Amino acid sequence: MPEPRFKMKRIWTDVDFFEVNLCVFGNGCNVDLDIYLDNGHLEDLKNGIENFAANLGKNDFSWVTGHETENTTHFLYLRFFLHDKRGIVGIEFKVDNRAEPPYSMRSNFYILTEINQIDDLSRKLGKFIREEIFEVESLV
């Protein structure tokens, strides 16, 4: 079975937010980033993915956490789009760890997956939000 290309693991929890380690594997590259999130932000991602899948990609869906220009801990942009009419979905990743050199990292890449994998990611994000699981592996 192919390796998952999207992995998210809860590594620290507070009352209002938590820290996750996000690993994304693209073609010829991978990103490993620790970011702070809350359930509301993840609900926005999950709901957007569900709406995208339900409408078979008629509209792109974008999700952002952090900020690209302000003083933040990270910047992560995901854009889901229909790559072709057979149900192949493209996901664009723009990632910046907002660290100072020599630890700075910026990346922009794309992956392709199938619409059923988008459904799988949404389902697992729901379990992650409800704390039924503490790690998400998806997008094989």
Side-chain angles (χ1 to χ4, degrees), residues 19-129:
E19 184 178 15
V20 299
N21 175 257
L22 177 66
C23 295
V24 183
F25 302 89
N27 296 329
C29 68
N30 67 313
V31 169
D32 188 339
L33 183 69
D34 292 343
I35 60 176
Y36 296 97
L37 294 171
D38 60 31
N39 281 339
H41 225 101
L42 282 180
E43 282 283 351
D44 292 344
L45 175 60
K46 182 182 89 56
N47 293 339
I49 291 170
E50 288 173 351
N51 187 44
F52 173 83
N55 292 305
L56 294 173
K58 290 181 182 165
N59 296 311
D60 291 2
F61 166 66
S62 297
W63 180 80
V64 177
T65 176
H67 201 278
E68 196 167 19
T69 57
E70 292 179 8
N71 187 17
T72 58
T73 60
H74 67 276
F75 172 72
L76 175 61
Y77 167 87
L78 279 72
R79 181 175 67 96
F80 296 79
F81 60 94
L82 189 61
H83 176 69
D84 69 24
K85 295 185 187 302
R86 296 177 303 176
I88 303 299
V89 174
I91 306 172
E92 177 182 14
F93 291 87
K94 291 183 183 179
V95 185
D96 188 337
N97 69 355
R98 307 292 295 143
E100 295 293 323
Y103 306 105
S104 178
M105 181 274 305
R106 297 186 83 184
S107 184
N108 186 13
F109 62 95
Y110 299 83
I111 64 172
L112 296 176
T113 191
E114 297 173 352
I115 196 77
N116 68 326
Q117 290 298 308
I118 299 300
D119 293 333
D120 177 70
L121 176 58
S122 172
R123 205 171 23 260
K124 289 178 179 176
L125 284 173
K127 289 181 177 184
F128 188 85
I129 291 166

